[in-house]
Amino acid sequence: MLIKSLKALDFRKYSDLSINDIPEKGVISVSGANESGKTSIGEAICFALFGRTFVLDEENIIKLIRWGKDRAEVSLLFVGSDDQEYRLTRTISKSSGKLVDANTDTDAEKDIANNNQAVQEAIHQKDGSDAVTTVMLEKISASTSSNTNANTNEKDESGMFFSGTQQVAEALGAVIGFDYSAFANSFYLVQRELTAPDPNSHTIKQMAGIGDYARISDDLINDQKETIETLQEVNPQCAELEAQISEINLDETWLPELIEGAETLESEQRDKTRLLEALDDGVESYANNIRPFKSAQRIRSFFGFLSVLLLPLVILSWVLWGLLRYSPETLMNLFAGNFADLLSGFSQWANHWLLPTAIILSLLLLLGFFLRFSTKRKMAQLNEIAGDFSRHLNTGYRHVTTEVETLLPERVVQMLQEKRPAAQTLLILPPREQFSNIGQLVEVSHDYQADSEEVRAAVRRIDDVLNKQNDEISHINESLQSDIQLEKERSDAAGELRSQLIRLQKVVKVCEHNIKVQNAGVEMLKRAANDSIDSFNANIARTSAKTLPKFTEGRYHKVKIDDDLNVQVFSDEKEGYMDFDEISSGTQRQIMLALRMAMSEELARNTGNEKQFIFLDEPFAFFDQWRTRATLSALPEVSEVISQVWVVAQEFPEDSGVDKTIECPLDEEVLNV
């Protein structure tokens, strides 16, 4: 970037500042007494480029307006890194509560309007100074295009136009290749800054060509700091949650055991209730069925006996009837002799009554079979009812004689017993002697052999115990439900804490993973940047070595620069490298100026600027006449890249041989050069 002209209105002490025909190569001297406005020229350049100066930031730039005026303007004509000409105009106004019309207030802006560039966009930047700034950038070296787009404030490639702080800043960055920080640390140097630069500064990294590496690395490091801060915040929270979970001391198996115990008791209570109903119904049925069962039993026995008698008679009667009917000769031969008369009389009777007799006997036998079968079925039904009652009776005996501890989890039993230290068992268990006859009743009741009153008495005893046990179960279950509710609350609290802990542990895991990735990324970027840094240091040393003899009239030729930009100078007299603090202060500043010039050259190359200006404000403040003259004569030759050198001093030697002279008047507010 090279400056071709600079214009300013009502800026600092100047009501009108105009510097034209600035040479692209050579030394431009700016001289004058104190407070004559020398530094204001550098401030005008900086304000035009970046909207601030080295002393005043964006919140205080209203102080740049000339005393008694409401508005200041700076216009800079320059050649960018693309070798094209641009005009950059920036104004600042004291806010009046209305939009500043930046199109026709000044001749510079009228020129822009006449060039058909676009309508400027007034950008208000409210700050503590109550100032309004307007900025625009136009490319003017190409032919003006007729395709102007006033709505977008943007032209085609031959007449590009940008307005607005953000838009201009982005476009300007592409045109000149550096930002305010790089400019302030490289292309604008004051005598107090002629010291060893900070190797970790962004500008140095940009000079070394590792600006992107450094930016990404810095982002990773900043992200890592935030990640570490997050870890430092989350880890104590995890520890606190773990302490709270430990304090709860939750046993994961305890709640299921309590629930199992409660469900067992509830099931036992339901079984006892159903058993009470079954016993009450069963004992009544048993008592009512004893007489029908025994009656059926007698009928079955009678008809069984009768069937035994009738069956031979039925068979005999049918056999005799068959013989008389179909083979009487056989019967006569069988009973011939003494039985002849008897057989004759029997035959007469049989002819009339044997068939009816056989039929009647057969019917009686069938009736006996039927009644015997029906009573057997009825007895089977009654036996089934008696069997159910017998089983219920046996179940009742088991309930009243079995300890509930055998049904519950062991720890639940221990807990319940601790609450009832005086009790031998959890449920009422009467002496077994009260139910000594239950076993016998169970055995004989299924065929109604047990006495109904004895059975009733046994059932009443069982019912009484079962009712008392149910009451006791209800009482125990109330206590158990209370314990379950408490344990659920503890479990819910522990579960919520665990959920929070798991979420935080995931955060910790992600943070630890990110830290590893960030460390790996920083290390990779560091390795990738090492070659560039080594090359940068070598270039700086090589360029400084070429420049140094010109600044010191051949007294020093070699310099050595380490990774931290520490400088050593080779002394022919001592035949070795000297530390920087062994050299006189004037020579130190000459060496630092050579180093800074070399570094500025590297930055210009890395930002695409084949030609670059540099502004040196009072670089000779501690130089004697000999050093000043030597340095001035060497400046135009030290670099092909840093070709335009602005030098500010109160005065210059008469034979300094500068290419353009700017003398700042002390008591005048107009400077036209």
Side-chain angles (χ1 to χ4, degrees):
M1 173 189 173
L2 297 175
I3 299 174
K4 301 198 70 174
S5 70
L6 172 66
K7 299 180 183 296
L9 298 175
D10 295 323
F11 184 87
R12 284 295 197 184
K13 67 162 283 184
Y14 295 108
S15 61
D16 186 0
L17 171 65
S18 180
I19 302 175
N20 300 294
D21 300 324
I22 300 173
E24 294 185 359
K25 181 177 178 61
V27 176
I28 298 97
S29 66
V30 181
S31 61
N34 289 337
E35 299 186 0
S36 61
K38 303 187 298 299
T39 301
S40 296
I41 294 175
E43 288 184 309
I45 295 172
C46 186
F47 172 73
L49 288 172
F50 304 109
R52 60 163 298 169
T53 70
F54 317 105
V55 178
L56 301 175
D57 58 16
E58 291 86 346
E59 294 184 358
N60 296 286
I61 54 175
I62 199 170
K63 297 178 182 179
L64 297 174
I65 301 175
R66 187 166 175 261
W67 182 258
K69 300 296 181 179
D70 294 326
R71 173 188 171 125
E73 174 190 309
V74 178
S75 180
L76 191 67
L77 182 65
F78 66 91
V79 178
S81 60
D82 56 357
D83 205 30
Q84 300 294 315
E85 287 189 7
Y86 293 86
R87 177 177 286 114
L88 176 64
T89 303
R90 195 181 298 266
T91 64
I92 179 173
S93 304
K94 295 179 180 179
S95 176
S96 60
K98 60 183 180 180
L99 191 66
V100 177
D101 182 3
N103 291 312
T104 58
D105 285 355
T106 67
D107 292 337
E109 290 168 347
K110 288 178 181 178
D111 290 341
I112 295 170
N114 292 333
N115 286 334
N116 295 322
Q117 295 302 322
V119 177
Q120 296 183 57
E121 176 185 344
I123 304 298
H124 291 254
Q125 292 183 336
K126 284 287 184 177
D127 49 45
S129 62
D130 200 26
V132 179
T133 61
T134 306
V135 60
M136 65 180 183
L137 173 68
E138 59 170 340
K139 182 178 179 180
I140 63 173
S141 61
S143 60
T144 304
S145 172
S146 60
N147 296 326
T148 303
N149 188 340
N151 292 328
T152 61
N153 290 334
E154 191 170 333
K155 289 190 174 183
D156 63 10
E157 190 67 24
S158 63
M160 290 186 299
F161 177 86
F162 303 94
S163 66
T165 304
Q166 184 64 30
Q167 192 181 45
V168 169
E170 293 174 357
L172 192 62
V175 169
I176 65 177
F178 52 84
D179 56 13
Y180 168 77
S181 176
F183 174 75
N185 287 284
S186 299
F187 303 134
Y188 183 89
L189 301 177
V190 297
Q191 57 86 15
R192 64 180 178 273
E193 293 175 344
L194 290 179
T195 57
D198 179 9
N200 294 315
S201 69
H202 173 72
T203 303
I204 295 299
K205 293 172 182 177
Q206 193 172 0
M207 290 177 183
I210 60 169
D212 290 337
Y213 290 160
R215 177 181 55 78
I216 297 172
S217 180
D218 290 343
D219 289 343
L220 287 174
I221 291 172
N222 290 331
D223 290 344
Q224 188 179 77
K225 289 179 180 178
E226 293 179 1
T227 304
I228 292 173
E229 290 176 359
T230 301
L231 269 181
Q232 291 173 344
E233 179 182 349
V234 170
N235 279 331
Q237 296 178 15
C238 289
E240 176 64 23
L241 288 172
E242 288 173 349
Q244 292 179 20
I245 292 172
S246 177
E247 184 178 351
I248 291 176
N249 192 26
L250 184 70
D251 183 352
E252 298 288 349
T253 63
W254 180 230
L255 181 59
E257 287 186 16
L258 287 174
I259 294 175
E260 180 186 351
E263 291 176 348
T264 299
L265 289 177
E266 290 173 357
S267 176
E268 187 75 5
Q269 190 174 37
R270 287 194 299 270
D271 290 345
K272 292 179 186 297
T273 301
R274 286 195 294 266
L275 184 58
L276 282 167
E277 296 175 356
L279 285 173
D280 290 343
D281 293 340
V283 73
E284 293 301 323
S285 297
Y286 181 85
N288 293 332
N289 290 336
I290 289 178
R291 180 171 293 180
F293 179 82
K294 290 184 176 181
S295 175
Q297 192 176 40
R298 288 193 297 270
I299 292 173
R300 184 170 181 274
S301 298
F302 171 76
F303 280 102
F305 175 74
L306 185 61
S307 298
V308 172
L309 294 177
L310 289 177
L311 182 59
L313 294 176
V314 169
I315 294 173
L316 180 61
S317 62
W318 281 108
V319 170
L320 292 175
W321 179 80
L323 289 174
L324 288 174
R325 175 86 178 183
Y326 300 104
S327 183
E329 296 84 4
T330 304
L331 187 60
M332 287 294 187
N333 292 332
L334 184 62
F335 293 99
N338 296 328
F339 298 98
D341 294 337
L342 180 62
L343 181 61
S344 174
F346 174 75
S347 296
Q348 293 176 0
W349 176 84
N351 287 331
H352 292 90
W353 299 104
L354 183 58
L355 179 61
T357 300
I359 292 173
I360 291 171
L361 289 175
S362 296
L363 289 176
L364 287 174
L365 180 62
L366 291 174
L367 178 62
F369 282 148
F370 172 75
L371 291 176
R372 191 167 183 269
F373 173 76
S374 64
T375 55
K376 181 180 180 180
R377 186 174 60 178
K378 183 177 181 181
M379 287 176 64
Q381 293 174 349
L382 294 175
N383 274 330
E384 184 178 354
I385 295 173
D388 290 340
F389 173 72
S390 178
R391 285 190 295 275
H392 291 148
L393 191 62
N394 188 49
T395 303
Y397 175 73
R398 180 181 58 80
H399 271 270
V400 298
T401 57
T402 301
E403 296 180 356
V404 74
E405 288 92 329
T406 60
L407 306 176
L408 299 177
E410 182 178 353
R411 290 199 299 169
V412 175
V413 173
Q414 292 176 354
M415 183 269 292
L416 293 174
Q417 286 178 340
E418 288 173 1
K419 293 184 177 182
R420 298 161 52 90
Q424 296 297 320
T425 60
L426 296 181
L427 297 181
I428 297 172
L429 294 178
R432 288 180 177 268
E433 292 78 8
Q434 294 186 17
F435 303 101
S436 59
N437 63 336
I438 295 295
Q440 182 181 1
L441 291 177
V442 169
E443 292 180 3
V444 299
S445 61
H446 65 83
D447 57 358
Y448 294 96
Q449 297 299 312
D451 180 68
S452 62
E453 292 303 321
E454 188 177 2
V455 171
R456 287 180 188 274
V459 169
R460 281 195 297 270
R461 291 197 302 272
I462 292 175
D463 284 355
D464 183 56
V465 175
L466 289 177
N467 284 319
K468 290 180 179 180
Q469 288 182 341
N470 271 347
D471 292 340
E472 190 69 15
I473 286 176
S474 297
H475 178 72
I476 294 173
N477 220 9
E478 287 179 6
S479 174
L480 202 55
Q481 290 298 333
S482 176
D483 292 329
I484 290 173
Q485 183 61 34
L486 178 61
E487 193 64 18
K488 282 183 177 179
E489 292 174 0
R490 295 176 68 249
S491 179
D492 291 343
E496 178 61 28
L497 291 175
R498 284 198 191 94
S499 297
Q500 296 178 25
L501 180 61
I502 289 172
R503 287 195 297 270
L504 291 180
Q505 286 174 338
K506 288 181 179 178
V507 173
V508 169
K509 191 177 264 187
V510 170
C511 288
E512 290 175 346
H513 173 74
N514 288 345
I515 289 174
K516 290 181 181 178
V517 172
Q518 289 156 355
N519 283 333
V522 170
E523 187 61 30
M524 291 173 63
L525 290 169
K526 183 178 180 180
R527 289 197 297 268
N530 280 339
D531 290 342
S532 296
I533 293 173
D534 293 341
S535 176
F536 169 72
N537 288 343
N539 290 339
I540 293 298
R542 184 170 56 254
T543 305
S544 299
K546 290 191 301 182
T547 305
L548 190 58
K550 297 178 181 179
F551 282 170
T552 61
E553 293 189 339
R555 288 188 298 122
Y556 298 102
H557 298 82
K558 298 179 182 179
V559 295
K560 185 165 63 175
I561 305 173
D562 62 17
D563 291 343
D564 293 328
L565 298 182
N566 295 316
V567 179
Q568 289 183 314
V569 183
F570 186 83
S571 171
D572 293 332
E573 181 181 350
K574 294 185 178 182
E575 296 183 351
Y577 283 96
M578 297 188 301
D579 290 333
F580 202 58
D581 55 8
E582 297 182 57
I583 308 170
S584 67
S585 61
T587 304
Q588 287 180 5
R589 284 177 169 77
Q590 285 181 304
I591 294 172
M592 281 297 103
L593 180 59
L595 178 62
R596 288 299 188 113
M597 292 284 289
M599 293 170 65
S600 297
E601 180 177 333
E602 284 297 307
L603 176 60
R605 293 183 190 277
N606 289 331
T607 54
N609 287 286
E610 296 182 0
K611 301 292 182 180
Q612 176 62 40
F613 83 93
I614 191 170
F615 199 95
L616 307 177
D617 191 353
E618 297 287 355
F620 311 139
F622 297 94
F623 284 15
D624 54 25
Q625 288 291 321
W626 172 79
R627 284 192 175 91
T628 301
R629 190 179 292 105
T631 304
L632 277 173
S633 63
L635 280 174
E637 308 299 330
V638 296
S639 173
E640 290 296 324
V641 177
I642 308 299
S643 58
Q644 187 183 82
V645 183
W646 295 63
V647 181
V648 176
Q650 289 190 5
E651 58 183 4
F652 291 84
E654 293 182 359
D655 56 347
S656 57
V658 299
D659 296 278
K660 186 175 183 65
T661 300
I662 301 172
E663 295 183 356
C664 299
L666 179 62
D667 298 325
E668 296 184 17
E669 60 188 37
V670 177
L671 177 61
N672 291 302
V673 181

